[in-house]
Amino acid sequence: MLTQVRRANDAATVTDAVAVLRRGGLVAFPTETVYGLGADALNPEAVIRVFEAKGRPADNPLIVHVASSRQARRFAATIPASAEILMDRFWPGPLTIVVERNDLVPDAVTAGLDTVALRVPRHPVTLALLEAFDGGLVGPSANRSGRPSPTRAEHVLHDLSGKIDFVIDGGPTTLGLESTVVDCTLSPPGILRKGSLTREEVEAVIGPLQKPDAAAHRRSPGTRHRHYAPRARVLITPAHDIERLTTTVKACTDRHETIGLLAHSPALCTIAGPVRVTPVSDPDDLARQLFQTFRDFDAAGVSTIIVEAVEETGIGATIMDRLRRAAEERT
Ligand code: TXA
Ligand code: MG
């Protein structure tokens, strides 16, 4: 299969993408978080092709992307009050809500769960696509399963060229980490996956959420699987700790490892040893650069990636979640 790459601002891109989706094809689209791999959510065969192209375990359900909260209602059995408030406040934006699903939604989408995840992304071309398609599109991150999520069309092509029909190139994404998944079937609602919308932002609108606990693991199948991993080994180093970084770098160079460093403290950025250094200015910048840097370091043949930790509040909590998953020992 030849994968067509089309610019977001070409007049015919949306029309042509809709035609591909209508015949059950796969279209990667940009969002404000990461690129998604779109297919008609009501076409089980198209949905199965999404799992195949990604190499995704069938027990990991997909988010249904829609143009508006009105469209979202088509897939829900009931919308709790908490979900109404969140949709109203944060859509379009990096929030995914989980609600009870109705019979319209194929089992392949929800991996047999009685809930469905819904999201309105904040990106002009993708909103135009969803409007024109006038339905729901499944949209897992458009990477091979387990790899870092794609923040550029090039990343999508690297992982999926020849396996999908169409890529809409909208340039680099603005946020760089996925949407926050909030389970609104719980009272109070709970975060199933940390994301670009912070816990603090959600709580400011609907009050305290469920305490983070092991139950979230059971309820969000995706978080069980290994994720976001570059080929290189990932090490997390404490913030501002130059001595600790020096020791780690020495241990790695003694083992003839090639080091890539992703850091925010000026002192750490200038340390000798790493072959590649990516300086970031603040946590938002780190969020934006993280997956891109993982991929760049892989391409440069780095064997160990050292990342300077950030404080675990706001977007920092999501960054540390992704770093820990990426750093998990391979089994
Ligand atoms: O930012 C994003 O959310 C991106 C863009 C493309 O929209 N999409 C994305 O999709 O990250 P994916 O498939 O890579 O991650 C979806 C997450 C997984 O952790 C999955 O387990 C969870 O959402 N999920 C989907 N449906 C669910 C459901 N019914 N109940 C609980 N968790 C669900
Ligand atoms: Mg993903």
Side-chain angles (χ1 to χ4, degrees), residues 146-315:
R147 300 273 298 142
S149 296
T151 58
R152 290 174 179 267
E154 291 82 353
H155 304 162
V156 177
L157 289 169
H158 180 273
D159 281 17
L160 300 175
S161 184
K163 295 192 165 73
I164 64 177
D165 300 277
F166 203 101
V167 180
I168 303 177
D169 185 350
T173 62
T174 52
L175 299 177
L177 297 176
E178 300 85 349
S179 66
T180 304
V181 181
V182 178
D183 186 345
C184 291
T185 67
L186 301 172
S187 186
I191 293 182
L192 299 183
R193 178 183 69 180
K194 292 176 185 160
S196 281
L197 187 69
T198 66
R199 180 182 193 92
E200 292 86 342
E201 288 172 291
V202 176
E203 289 188 331
V205 174
I206 55 168
L209 295 167
Q210 298 275 339
K211 294 216 166 54
D213 68 351
H217 251 71
R218 247 187 306 117
R219 299 184 60 97
S220 192
T223 53
R224 282 197 304 261
H225 300 287
R226 185 180 162 75
H227 263 111
Y228 317 114
R231 269 189 300 278
R233 181 165 72 117
V234 175
L235 300 176
I236 306 171
T237 199
H240 310 291
D241 191 340
I242 185 91
E243 274 169 41
R244 180 72 175 274
L245 179 61
T246 309
T247 315
T248 308
V249 165
K250 181 162 187 319
C252 291
T253 22
D254 286 351
R255 287 194 300 264
H256 306 287
E257 291 172 39
T258 353
I259 305 164
L261 173 67
L262 179 55
H264 52 88
S265 313
L268 267 58
C269 290
T270 52
I271 192 176
V275 294
R276 304 238 337 189
V277 181
T278 300
V280 288
S281 48
D282 56 36
D284 287 329
D285 193 29
L286 177 53
R288 202 161 29 239
Q289 305 284 353
L290 183 65
F291 291 147
Q292 159 94 50
T293 305
F294 279 175
R295 285 175 180 265
D296 287 350
F297 283 169
D298 272 350
V302 158
S303 59
T304 301
I305 299 173
I306 306 178
V307 190
E308 183 180 6
V310 291
E311 199 192 325
E312 254 174 282
T313 57
I315 193 65

Side-chain angles (χ1 to χ4, degrees), residues 68-74 76-92 95-99 118 182-186 189 205-206:
S68 63
S69 47
R70 190 177 54 81
Q71 292 275 10
R73 285 171 217 284
R74 288 171 54 184
T78 51
I79 308 252
S82 60
E84 293 281 359
I85 297 169
L86 292 174
M87 286 168 12
D88 210 49
R89 173 65 184 78
F90 294 114
W91 280 359
L95 164 76
T96 295
I97 59 159
V98 171
V99 296
L118 299 165
V182 178
D183 186 345
C184 291
T185 67
L186 301 172
V205 174
I206 55 168

